[in-house]
Amino acid sequence: MEKTWRARFPNTKTAATEIAFEAAWDLEKADWIQAATTESHVKFSGRIDRIDTDGNGHYAMIDYKSSVNNLRYLRRVTRKRFDGWFASRNC
């Protein structure tokens, strides 16, 4: 994967690695906000594995997936957390 990326975009350089992020989506306003403070805000957090740049203001976020099992676990946990929320709003 790395060799393919570098061959396809030879002018990119790694700008940062392992960047933590946190944001929230306001369901009522349909917009991003800094932090989740009410039930109508859905919190997103995670880690970006790598950010590359071409030095001209263009950036690419690269996220390596470690396994299919991690994705299955995330899907199962997310479904459990949001089932009640959607049910309470008749979605």
Side-chain angles (χ1 to χ4, degrees), residues 58-81:
H58 302 107
Y59 295 88
M61 290 185 288
I62 300 167
D63 187 41
Y64 301 109
K65 299 295 179 219
S66 57
S67 76
V68 171
N69 288 331
N70 286 349
L71 294 175
R72 287 182 185 138
Y73 170 77
L74 179 61
R75 193 176 302 133
R76 190 171 53 245
V77 169
T78 302
R79 172 167 236 138
K80 285 180 184 177
R81 288 186 181 164

PDB file of all heavy atoms in Angstrom, residues 58-81:
ATOM      1  N   HIS A  58      -2.443  21.095  -0.243  1.00  0.00           N
ATOM      2  CA  HIS A  58      -3.288  19.910  -0.398  1.00  0.00           C
ATOM      3  C   HIS A  58      -2.847  18.850   0.597  1.00  0.00           C
ATOM      4  O   HIS A  58      -1.649  18.607   0.769  1.00  0.00           O
ATOM      5  CB  HIS A  58      -3.176  19.346  -1.819  1.00  0.00           C
ATOM      6  CG  HIS A  58      -3.539  20.335  -2.864  1.00  0.00           C
ATOM      7  ND1 HIS A  58      -2.611  20.940  -3.668  1.00  0.00           N
ATOM      8  CD2 HIS A  58      -4.742  20.848  -3.217  1.00  0.00           C
ATOM      9  CE1 HIS A  58      -3.223  21.781  -4.486  1.00  0.00           C
ATOM     10  NE2 HIS A  58      -4.516  21.739  -4.226  1.00  0.00           N
ATOM     11  N   TYR A  59      -3.834  18.222   1.255  1.00  0.00           N
ATOM     12  CA  TYR A  59      -3.549  17.222   2.270  1.00  0.00           C
ATOM     13  C   TYR A  59      -4.342  15.957   2.002  1.00  0.00           C
ATOM     14  O   TYR A  59      -5.429  16.004   1.433  1.00  0.00           O
ATOM     15  CB  TYR A  59      -3.910  17.741   3.665  1.00  0.00           C
ATOM     16  CG  TYR A  59      -3.050  18.911   4.077  1.00  0.00           C
ATOM     17  CD1 TYR A  59      -3.418  20.213   3.760  1.00  0.00           C
ATOM     18  CD2 TYR A  59      -1.869  18.709   4.768  1.00  0.00           C
ATOM     19  CE1 TYR A  59      -2.624  21.292   4.117  1.00  0.00           C
ATOM     20  CE2 TYR A  59      -1.061  19.780   5.139  1.00  0.00           C
ATOM     21  CZ  TYR A  59      -1.453  21.065   4.811  1.00  0.00           C
ATOM     22  OH  TYR A  59      -0.657  22.125   5.166  1.00  0.00           O
ATOM     23  N   ALA A  60      -3.803  14.824   2.427  1.00  0.00           N
ATOM     24  CA  ALA A  60      -4.493  13.539   2.340  1.00  0.00           C
ATOM     25  C   ALA A  60      -4.423  12.875   3.705  1.00  0.00           C
ATOM     26  O   ALA A  60      -3.356  12.786   4.303  1.00  0.00           O
ATOM     27  CB  ALA A  60      -3.839  12.646   1.290  1.00  0.00           C
ATOM     28  N   MET A  61      -5.590  12.437   4.206  1.00  0.00           N
ATOM     29  CA  MET A  61      -5.630  11.686   5.463  1.00  0.00           C
ATOM     30  C   MET A  61      -5.587  10.205   5.118  1.00  0.00           C
ATOM     31  O   MET A  61      -6.385   9.732   4.306  1.00  0.00           O
ATOM     32  CB  MET A  61      -6.900  11.995   6.241  1.00  0.00           C
ATOM     33  CG  MET A  61      -6.921  13.390   6.796  1.00  0.00           C
ATOM     34  SD  MET A  61      -8.352  13.697   7.838  1.00  0.00           S
ATOM     35  CE  MET A  61      -9.633  13.768   6.596  1.00  0.00           C
ATOM     36  N   ILE A  62      -4.670   9.500   5.730  1.00  0.00           N
ATOM     37  CA  ILE A  62      -4.495   8.079   5.453  1.00  0.00           C
ATOM     38  C   ILE A  62      -4.778   7.310   6.734  1.00  0.00           C
ATOM     39  O   ILE A  62      -4.170   7.559   7.772  1.00  0.00           O
ATOM     40  CB  ILE A  62      -3.070   7.803   4.936  1.00  0.00           C
ATOM     41  CG1 ILE A  62      -2.856   8.598   3.648  1.00  0.00           C
ATOM     42  CG2 ILE A  62      -2.860   6.313   4.720  1.00  0.00           C
ATOM     43  CD1 ILE A  62      -1.449   8.689   3.191  1.00  0.00           C
ATOM     44  N   ASP A  63      -5.725   6.384   6.631  1.00  0.00           N
ATOM     45  CA  ASP A  63      -6.130   5.604   7.793  1.00  0.00           C
ATOM     46  C   ASP A  63      -5.932   4.136   7.464  1.00  0.00           C
ATOM     47  O   ASP A  63      -6.581   3.605   6.572  1.00  0.00           O
ATOM     48  CB  ASP A  63      -7.591   5.906   8.133  1.00  0.00           C
ATOM     49  CG  ASP A  63      -8.021   5.264   9.422  1.00  0.00           C
ATOM     50  OD1 ASP A  63      -7.224   5.269  10.382  1.00  0.00           O
ATOM     51  OD2 ASP A  63      -9.152   4.765   9.480  1.00  0.00           O
ATOM     52  N   TYR A  64      -5.023   3.499   8.157  1.00  0.00           N
ATOM     53  CA  TYR A  64      -4.765   2.082   7.935  1.00  0.00           C
ATOM     54  C   TYR A  64      -5.745   1.261   8.757  1.00  0.00           C
ATOM     55  O   TYR A  64      -5.931   1.510   9.935  1.00  0.00           O
ATOM     56  CB  TYR A  64      -3.335   1.723   8.357  1.00  0.00           C
ATOM     57  CG  TYR A  64      -2.292   2.495   7.616  1.00  0.00           C
ATOM     58  CD1 TYR A  64      -1.559   3.487   8.260  1.00  0.00           C
ATOM     59  CD2 TYR A  64      -2.023   2.234   6.283  1.00  0.00           C
ATOM     60  CE1 TYR A  64      -0.589   4.202   7.585  1.00  0.00           C
ATOM     61  CE2 TYR A  64      -1.054   2.952   5.602  1.00  0.00           C
ATOM     62  CZ  TYR A  64      -0.343   3.926   6.258  1.00  0.00           C
ATOM     63  OH  TYR A  64       0.610   4.630   5.592  1.00  0.00           O
ATOM     64  N   LYS A  65      -6.358   0.286   8.144  1.00  0.00           N
ATOM     65  CA  LYS A  65      -7.259  -0.622   8.855  1.00  0.00           C
ATOM     66  C   LYS A  65      -6.446  -1.840   9.273  1.00  0.00           C
ATOM     67  O   LYS A  65      -5.758  -2.433   8.470  1.00  0.00           O
ATOM     68  CB  LYS A  65      -8.424  -1.061   7.967  1.00  0.00           C
ATOM     69  CG  LYS A  65      -9.286   0.078   7.514  1.00  0.00           C
ATOM     70  CD  LYS A  65      -9.976   0.706   8.706  1.00  0.00           C
ATOM     71  CE  LYS A  65     -10.823   1.863   8.269  1.00  0.00           C
ATOM     72  NZ  LYS A  65     -10.791   2.977   9.155  1.00  0.00           N
ATOM     73  N   SER A  66      -6.572  -2.215  10.540  1.00  0.00           N
ATOM     74  CA  SER A  66      -5.759  -3.329  11.025  1.00  0.00           C
ATOM     75  C   SER A  66      -6.409  -4.687  10.768  1.00  0.00           C
ATOM     76  O   SER A  66      -5.726  -5.661  10.571  1.00  0.00           O
ATOM     77  CB  SER A  66      -5.437  -3.168  12.507  1.00  0.00           C
ATOM     78  OG  SER A  66      -6.628  -3.069  13.247  1.00  0.00           O
ATOM     79  N   SER A  67      -7.746  -4.757  10.792  1.00  0.00           N
ATOM     80  CA  SER A  67      -8.385  -6.044  10.520  1.00  0.00           C
ATOM     81  C   SER A  67      -9.880  -5.866  10.299  1.00  0.00           C
ATOM     82  O   SER A  67     -10.478  -4.892  10.734  1.00  0.00           O
ATOM     83  CB  SER A  67      -8.159  -7.014  11.670  1.00  0.00           C
ATOM     84  OG  SER A  67      -8.985  -6.695  12.758  1.00  0.00           O
ATOM     85  N   VAL A  68     -10.456  -6.839   9.643  1.00  0.00           N
ATOM     86  CA  VAL A  68     -11.896  -6.848   9.423  1.00  0.00           C
ATOM     87  C   VAL A  68     -12.618  -7.022  10.753  1.00  0.00           C
ATOM     88  O   VAL A  68     -13.681  -6.463  10.974  1.00  0.00           O
ATOM     89  CB  VAL A  68     -12.276  -7.977   8.436  1.00  0.00           C
ATOM     90  CG1 VAL A  68     -13.781  -8.143   8.351  1.00  0.00           C
ATOM     91  CG2 VAL A  68     -11.698  -7.682   7.070  1.00  0.00           C
ATOM     92  N   ASN A  69     -12.044  -7.781  11.682  1.00  0.00           N
ATOM     93  CA  ASN A  69     -12.685  -8.001  12.977  1.00  0.00           C
ATOM     94  C   ASN A  69     -12.871  -6.700  13.743  1.00  0.00           C
ATOM     95  O   ASN A  69     -13.862  -6.529  14.441  1.00  0.00           O
ATOM     96  CB  ASN A  69     -11.887  -9.006  13.811  1.00  0.00           C
ATOM     97  CG  ASN A  69     -12.029 -10.403  13.279  1.00  0.00           C
ATOM     98  OD1 ASN A  69     -13.044 -10.748  12.687  1.00  0.00           O
ATOM     99  ND2 ASN A  69     -11.006 -11.213  13.458  1.00  0.00           N
ATOM    100  N   ASN A  70     -11.928  -5.766  13.645  1.00  0.00           N
ATOM    101  CA  ASN A  70     -12.089  -4.467  14.302  1.00  0.00           C
ATOM    102  C   ASN A  70     -13.297  -3.728  13.740  1.00  0.00           C
ATOM    103  O   ASN A  70     -14.027  -3.076  14.472  1.00  0.00           O
ATOM    104  CB  ASN A  70     -10.839  -3.613  14.140  1.00  0.00           C
ATOM    105  CG  ASN A  70      -9.710  -4.079  15.015  1.00  0.00           C
ATOM    106  OD1 ASN A  70      -9.892  -4.909  15.908  1.00  0.00           O
ATOM    107  ND2 ASN A  70      -8.529  -3.574  14.761  1.00  0.00           N
ATOM    108  N   LEU A  71     -13.505  -3.801  12.446  1.00  0.00           N
ATOM    109  CA  LEU A  71     -14.648  -3.140  11.825  1.00  0.00           C
ATOM    110  C   LEU A  71     -15.954  -3.790  12.268  1.00  0.00           C
ATOM    111  O   LEU A  71     -16.935  -3.103  12.522  1.00  0.00           O
ATOM    112  CB  LEU A  71     -14.528  -3.186  10.302  1.00  0.00           C
ATOM    113  CG  LEU A  71     -13.369  -2.391   9.718  1.00  0.00           C
ATOM    114  CD1 LEU A  71     -13.299  -2.621   8.216  1.00  0.00           C
ATOM    115  CD2 LEU A  71     -13.502  -0.924  10.034  1.00  0.00           C
ATOM    116  N   ARG A  72     -15.963  -5.117  12.379  1.00  0.00           N
ATOM    117  CA  ARG A  72     -17.170  -5.809  12.846  1.00  0.00           C
ATOM    118  C   ARG A  72     -17.492  -5.402  14.280  1.00  0.00           C
ATOM    119  O   ARG A  72     -18.648  -5.187  14.622  1.00  0.00           O
ATOM    120  CB  ARG A  72     -16.980  -7.313  12.759  1.00  0.00           C
ATOM    121  CG  ARG A  72     -17.012  -7.833  11.347  1.00  0.00           C
ATOM    122  CD  ARG A  72     -16.880  -9.335  11.315  1.00  0.00           C
ATOM    123  NE  ARG A  72     -16.793  -9.782   9.946  1.00  0.00           N
ATOM    124  CZ  ARG A  72     -15.957 -10.713   9.521  1.00  0.00           C
ATOM    125  NH1 ARG A  72     -15.139 -11.303  10.356  1.00  0.00           N
ATOM    126  NH2 ARG A  72     -15.937 -11.061   8.251  1.00  0.00           N
ATOM    127  N   TYR A  73     -16.475  -5.308  15.135  1.00  0.00           N
ATOM    128  CA  TYR A  73     -16.681  -4.903  16.526  1.00  0.00           C
ATOM    129  C   TYR A  73     -17.239  -3.483  16.577  1.00  0.00           C
ATOM    130  O   TYR A  73     -18.203  -3.212  17.287  1.00  0.00           O
ATOM    131  CB  TYR A  73     -15.369  -4.983  17.301  1.00  0.00           C
ATOM    132  CG  TYR A  73     -15.462  -4.354  18.672  1.00  0.00           C
ATOM    133  CD1 TYR A  73     -16.099  -5.023  19.715  1.00  0.00           C
ATOM    134  CD2 TYR A  73     -14.933  -3.100  18.912  1.00  0.00           C
ATOM    135  CE1 TYR A  73     -16.212  -4.449  20.966  1.00  0.00           C
ATOM    136  CE2 TYR A  73     -15.035  -2.520  20.161  1.00  0.00           C
ATOM    137  CZ  TYR A  73     -15.674  -3.196  21.178  1.00  0.00           C
ATOM    138  OH  TYR A  73     -15.782  -2.608  22.412  1.00  0.00           O
ATOM    139  N   LEU A  74     -16.653  -2.578  15.816  1.00  0.00           N
ATOM    140  CA  LEU A  74     -17.112  -1.188  15.805  1.00  0.00           C
ATOM    141  C   LEU A  74     -18.565  -1.111  15.358  1.00  0.00           C
ATOM    142  O   LEU A  74     -19.367  -0.397  15.948  1.00  0.00           O
ATOM    143  CB  LEU A  74     -16.223  -0.356  14.884  1.00  0.00           C
ATOM    144  CG  LEU A  74     -16.585   1.114  14.757  1.00  0.00           C
ATOM    145  CD1 LEU A  74     -16.498   1.810  16.107  1.00  0.00           C
ATOM    146  CD2 LEU A  74     -15.673   1.782  13.753  1.00  0.00           C
ATOM    147  N   ARG A  75     -18.932  -1.852  14.337  1.00  0.00           N
ATOM    148  CA  ARG A  75     -20.306  -1.858  13.843  1.00  0.00           C
ATOM    149  C   ARG A  75     -21.260  -2.358  14.925  1.00  0.00           C
ATOM    150  O   ARG A  75     -22.319  -1.796  15.150  1.00  0.00           O
ATOM    151  CB  ARG A  75     -20.396  -2.742  12.598  1.00  0.00           C
ATOM    152  CG  ARG A  75     -21.670  -2.571  11.828  1.00  0.00           C
ATOM    153  CD  ARG A  75     -21.679  -3.384  10.539  1.00  0.00           C
ATOM    154  NE  ARG A  75     -20.567  -3.027   9.679  1.00  0.00           N
ATOM    155  CZ  ARG A  75     -19.763  -3.912   9.085  1.00  0.00           C
ATOM    156  NH1 ARG A  75     -19.937  -5.198   9.249  1.00  0.00           N
ATOM    157  NH2 ARG A  75     -18.779  -3.514   8.319  1.00  0.00           N
ATOM    158  N   ARG A  76     -20.885  -3.420  15.643  1.00  0.00           N
ATOM    159  CA  ARG A  76     -21.726  -3.993  16.689  1.00  0.00           C
ATOM    160  C   ARG A  76     -21.902  -3.013  17.853  1.00  0.00           C
ATOM    161  O   ARG A  76     -23.003  -2.783  18.329  1.00  0.00           O
ATOM    162  CB  ARG A  76     -21.103  -5.307  17.171  1.00  0.00           C
ATOM    163  CG  ARG A  76     -21.978  -6.120  18.076  1.00  0.00           C
ATOM    164  CD  ARG A  76     -21.415  -7.517  18.344  1.00  0.00           C
ATOM    165  NE  ARG A  76     -20.052  -7.494  18.833  1.00  0.00           N
ATOM    166  CZ  ARG A  76     -18.990  -7.987  18.186  1.00  0.00           C
ATOM    167  NH1 ARG A  76     -19.132  -8.529  16.998  1.00  0.00           N
ATOM    168  NH2 ARG A  76     -17.787  -7.931  18.715  1.00  0.00           N
ATOM    169  N   VAL A  77     -20.810  -2.391  18.304  1.00  0.00           N
ATOM    170  CA  VAL A  77     -20.859  -1.433  19.414  1.00  0.00           C
ATOM    171  C   VAL A  77     -21.672  -0.208  19.025  1.00  0.00           C
ATOM    172  O   VAL A  77     -22.512   0.270  19.783  1.00  0.00           O
ATOM    173  CB  VAL A  77     -19.442  -1.029  19.855  1.00  0.00           C
ATOM    174  CG1 VAL A  77     -19.486   0.148  20.807  1.00  0.00           C
ATOM    175  CG2 VAL A  77     -18.737  -2.205  20.498  1.00  0.00           C
ATOM    176  N   THR A  78     -21.453   0.316  17.836  1.00  0.00           N
ATOM    177  CA  THR A  78     -22.162   1.500  17.370  1.00  0.00           C
ATOM    178  C   THR A  78     -23.659   1.219  17.281  1.00  0.00           C
ATOM    179  O   THR A  78     -24.471   2.026  17.703  1.00  0.00           O
ATOM    180  CB  THR A  78     -21.625   1.957  16.002  1.00  0.00           C
ATOM    181  OG1 THR A  78     -20.236   2.204  16.127  1.00  0.00           O
ATOM    182  CG2 THR A  78     -22.315   3.212  15.531  1.00  0.00           C
ATOM    183  N   ARG A  79     -24.021   0.070  16.752  1.00  0.00           N
ATOM    184  CA  ARG A  79     -25.440  -0.273  16.633  1.00  0.00           C
ATOM    185  C   ARG A  79     -26.100  -0.320  18.008  1.00  0.00           C
ATOM    186  O   ARG A  79     -27.183   0.207  18.215  1.00  0.00           O
ATOM    187  CB  ARG A  79     -25.613  -1.607  15.919  1.00  0.00           C
ATOM    188  CG  ARG A  79     -27.041  -2.074  15.958  1.00  0.00           C
ATOM    189  CD  ARG A  79     -27.295  -3.209  15.013  1.00  0.00           C
ATOM    190  NE  ARG A  79     -28.371  -2.750  14.182  1.00  0.00           N
ATOM    191  CZ  ARG A  79     -28.478  -2.903  12.899  1.00  0.00           C
ATOM    192  NH1 ARG A  79     -27.569  -3.530  12.240  1.00  0.00           N
ATOM    193  NH2 ARG A  79     -29.507  -2.452  12.244  1.00  0.00           N
ATOM    194  N   LYS A  80     -25.441  -0.910  19.005  1.00  0.00           N
ATOM    195  CA  LYS A  80     -26.002  -0.981  20.356  1.00  0.00           C
ATOM    196  C   LYS A  80     -26.195   0.414  20.943  1.00  0.00           C
ATOM    197  O   LYS A  80     -27.188   0.694  21.581  1.00  0.00           O
ATOM    198  CB  LYS A  80     -25.086  -1.798  21.276  1.00  0.00           C
ATOM    199  CG  LYS A  80     -25.155  -3.278  21.037  1.00  0.00           C
ATOM    200  CD  LYS A  80     -24.235  -4.011  21.988  1.00  0.00           C
ATOM    201  CE  LYS A  80     -24.229  -5.494  21.697  1.00  0.00           C
ATOM    202  NZ  LYS A  80     -23.281  -6.206  22.558  1.00  0.00           N
ATOM    203  N   ARG A  81     -25.245   1.298  20.723  1.00  0.00           N
ATOM    204  CA  ARG A  81     -25.323   2.638  21.301  1.00  0.00           C
ATOM    205  C   ARG A  81     -26.420   3.479  20.665  1.00  0.00           C
ATOM    206  O   ARG A  81     -27.038   4.291  21.326  1.00  0.00           O
ATOM    207  CB  ARG A  81     -23.980   3.359  21.156  1.00  0.00           C
ATOM    208  CG  ARG A  81     -22.934   2.810  22.077  1.00  0.00           C
ATOM    209  CD  ARG A  81     -21.692   3.622  22.010  1.00  0.00           C
ATOM    210  NE  ARG A  81     -20.687   3.052  22.887  1.00  0.00           N
ATOM    211  CZ  ARG A  81     -19.422   3.351  22.829  1.00  0.00           C
ATOM    212  NH1 ARG A  81     -18.975   4.211  21.964  1.00  0.00           N
ATOM    213  NH2 ARG A  81     -18.575   2.791  23.663  1.00  0.00           N
TER     214      ARG A  81
END
